[in-house]
Structures are given as structure tokens and as C-alpha cells.
Amino acid sequence: MAWNVGVLGAGPGVSALHLPILGGMPGGFRVVHIADGGSGRAQELAGPLGARWSMGEEQLLGDPDVDLVAICSPPDRHAGHILAAVNAGKKAVFCEKPLATSTAGAEAAIEACRQAGTVLLVGTNHLYDAAWGNAKHHLVALEGKVLTVSLTLALPPNDRYHRLVSEGGPFQPGGRGRPDLSDPAVAADVLRQLLVGLAVHDLPAVRDLAPVLDEVVYARLVPPIGYAVGYRAGDLLVQLCLTMLLEGPDALWRLAVATTHDRVELDFPPAFVHAGSALSRVRSSDGRWTEFARDAEDGYLAQWRLLAAMLDGGTPVEYDELLADARYAINLAEAAAALVAEGVLR
């Protein structure tokens, strides 16, 4: 069965990732409606597809031809858009990460989908990358104790986050003017948004290894756009580091896991490109590196294939897991922000 998709959002992720994927899955999905927030991009993207376009969400959600809503709007609107899609009677929702930016929003979205039987998938492409599946298999088979997990991100410019530190954001009254990052309260809100918006890419995978967040040991906002956060999960230490420079460094998105036996590293491809799975390798105790073969299919495609399997009834919807992932990320972001708000560097 082909599912008619309505896309809420018309940013680079839609044009570079989701539309090419959906167009290359014959018989699975068909984009019939694209809506933007007033940028005019929806009309540009819909034209070649023969799809309808509109501004805002009302026309798209009221479109009887739309079976499935792909939510690619700004993060703070995700939970509300999920609720609106459920209330409109849509059969399924694909929601870009994060599920929500607050615990209350995440719980409301999950409960609404559960009660209505709405199929829901949160687009966390690194979690569905075949390389992460191989890494988890290796870690389980080796039975080595995980000692540390580190996420190191060096990313090129992203307009959304550069506006956050140059023009203000929803955390700042009025949302105008350069925010004063020397103010602990302002810095804390910026850090929270960066963690919920960027670290959330990998936190569901980290949760597989470090399911309980015991204590945020240190948390710092690193200008112009970045953070350094460390937390304990039992006797396991997790470290998150991000730098995003205006001039744009070479992209690096690395997840590293050190165990009592070896070290596993995954280097994910840059965002918004189809380059196959992450590059994964293992360094054994004798210092030798073993590199796994890369999969031609990336996590962006894998997540849509999983959604198709859910819609066909062959795979259950993991409502509880989705909610647990959201709570984990939000709890971390709030704990780290609280530490920064105290104005004490640790």
C-alpha cells in the first residue's frame, strides 16, 4: 500500500533528505502536500512532485488525502504538531528529533498517539544506522564492561543555532538583540536548546549503554556555539563536546565507547548528505584497528523503512521507548542548564 505524505516544513532536511528518500521508495510513500511557515519554499519543493503546497499547518492537516504527517518544523513545535496530526485523524506521524522540548509535551504527544493508535516514529537516524547496530552487537558479544562514552562534534555553520547566539531566541524576552552569554540564566537556556536540538541525535544510542543519569558532573557553554558536558551513569562517565564555528571546520561527528577490552569508534557522515552508514572501527588491546565494512544504506533511509514496516503491521510502535528517549534527553538538558545557571564552572 502507498501512503500519502504531508510534510510540515520545507527546510534543508526536507529538500536534501526526506523528499529524495520518499521519491526513491516506489510503492511505499507519495508526497502529496508540503507546508512551510511562510518562506515560500513549500511551493518550490512541491512543484516538481505535483504536490499541493500551503502556509502553516491547517490546510495540510485538513487535507483528506494526507495519511501520514512528516513533522520537520522547528523543535519547539514538534509536540504541538503531533497532537494536531492525531486530532486530525492522521494514521501515522514521522517526527524529526526531538519528540518534544519538555517532558509534559513528550508525555502528551505519546499518550495521544497511544490512545488513538497512531503509528509514530521519531527520526533519529544515528540510532537506525547499521554501524550502530554492528557496534552494539560487538559490545554485547565481547561482554566487556563499558567505561566511558564520548560524543565529539565539530560542525559547520547551522543558521538556526547561529541566530540563537547572535539575535536571541525564545528564551530571551522579545527574542531580539544579541543575548548576554555572560548572564548565567541566558547561557543556561542556550545550553538547554543546544542539547535538546543537537545532542539528541545520539542520546538514544547513548541511553542503550548508560540508561540511568545519576549526576551531571560538569556543564559549560563554549562560545561562540558549543558545549562541554559530562555526566555519570553508575560508574560509567559520558562526555559530550560540541563546537560549531562560523567559518565552519571540517565536519566530525564521532561516538566513541571505551571498554575494559577495546575501544569502538563510529564516525557518522555529515548532516544532510547520503553517504552510507557511519565508519566504524575497533581498537583491540594490542593496539590494532579493525574496520567494519560500511553499509550502502544510511540511517535516514533505514528509519523510513522501519516506519513502512510499522505501517504494514510487521513491527510494533515502541511508545514507551520513544518517551524514555525524550525524558532522558530533556532531563540531561535541564540538569546541565541548572548547573550553568548556578554560575559555577565545574
Side-chain angles (χ1 to χ4, degrees):
M1 173 181 176
W3 297 89
N4 290 340
V5 180
V7 182
L8 281 177
V14 172
S15 59
L17 299 172
H18 301 306
L19 295 186
I21 288 174
L22 296 174
M25 297 178 69
F29 301 101
R30 183 168 68 98
V31 176
V32 298
H33 198 142
I34 303 175
D36 62 37
S39 67
R41 286 277 292 157
Q43 182 178 13
E44 178 183 336
L45 296 177
L49 303 175
R52 291 179 288 284
W53 67 276
S54 60
M55 289 189 294
E57 64 267 17
E58 290 186 8
Q59 290 185 47
L60 185 146
L61 294 176
D63 188 337
D65 289 338
V66 171
D67 305 311
L68 184 159
V69 178
I71 297 173
C72 306
S73 52
D76 61 342
R77 303 200 65 190
H78 287 183
H81 280 156
I82 292 173
L83 292 174
V86 172
N87 290 335
K90 302 308 178 184
K91 299 179 178 66
V93 171
F94 171 95
C95 180
E96 275 285 10
K97 55 207 166 289
L99 170 69
T101 56
S102 71
T103 300
E107 291 173 348
I110 290 294
E111 184 61 21
C113 289
R114 195 196 305 267
Q115 292 299 322
T118 306
V119 173
L120 173 66
L121 184 137
V122 178
T124 313
N125 59 292
H126 289 178
L127 183 66
Y128 303 117
D129 192 303
W132 174 238
N134 292 335
K136 284 199 298 183
H137 177 79
H138 171 82
L139 291 167
V140 171
L142 188 64
E143 297 183 346
K145 180 181 179 181
V146 176
L147 302 176
T148 65
V149 178
S150 63
L151 274 166
T152 306
L153 282 64
L155 302 180
N158 181 306
D159 185 58
R160 173 181 297 162
Y161 297 105
H162 286 120
R163 288 200 308 270
L164 180 65
V165 299
S166 63
E167 302 174 9
F171 60 87
Q172 187 180 18
R176 297 295 179 185
R178 182 181 294 274
D180 181 6
L181 298 181
S182 66
D183 182 334
V186 173
D189 281 324
V190 172
L191 175 62
R192 186 187 188 284
Q193 291 189 62
L194 289 173
L195 289 172
V196 171
L198 287 172
V200 71
H201 284 76
D202 301 285
L203 289 176
V206 173
R207 191 175 74 84
D208 284 344
L209 305 176
V212 178
L213 196 165
D214 290 312
E215 178 192 12
V216 175
V217 180
Y218 60 88
R220 302 181 184 181
L221 190 66
V222 181
I225 306 174
Y227 53 72
V229 176
Y231 65 96
R232 288 191 309 102
D235 55 2
L236 188 158
L237 180 63
V238 180
Q239 178 174 273
L240 313 176
C241 294
L242 162 72
T243 181
M244 184 181 287
L245 301 177
L246 290 173
E247 61 269 23
D250 292 337
L252 173 69
W253 200 310
R254 175 171 294 166
L255 171 60
V257 181
T259 78
T260 52
H261 293 70
D262 57 14
R263 176 181 174 87
V264 180
E265 290 187 354
L266 291 88
D267 285 351
F268 292 97
F272 302 148
V273 298
H274 292 294
S277 68
L279 174 65
S280 55
R281 58 182 188 165
V282 176
R283 187 182 70 185
S284 58
S285 57
D286 61 7
R288 290 187 297 179
W289 286 96
T290 301
E291 191 171 296
F292 290 101
R294 297 182 69 177
D295 197 297
E297 184 172 295
D298 59 33
Y300 294 114
L301 179 55
Q303 62 192 9
W304 278 103
R305 289 199 190 282
L306 176 59
L307 182 56
M310 292 177 178
L311 290 165
D312 289 341
T315 302
V317 181
E318 300 288 353
Y319 296 113
D320 292 331
E321 285 296 304
L322 294 176
L323 181 55
D325 284 342
R327 284 173 171 159
Y328 189 90
I330 292 165
N331 289 343
L332 172 61
E334 291 180 346
L339 206 58
V340 170
E342 293 175 4
V344 179
L345 293 178
R346 295 186 181 179

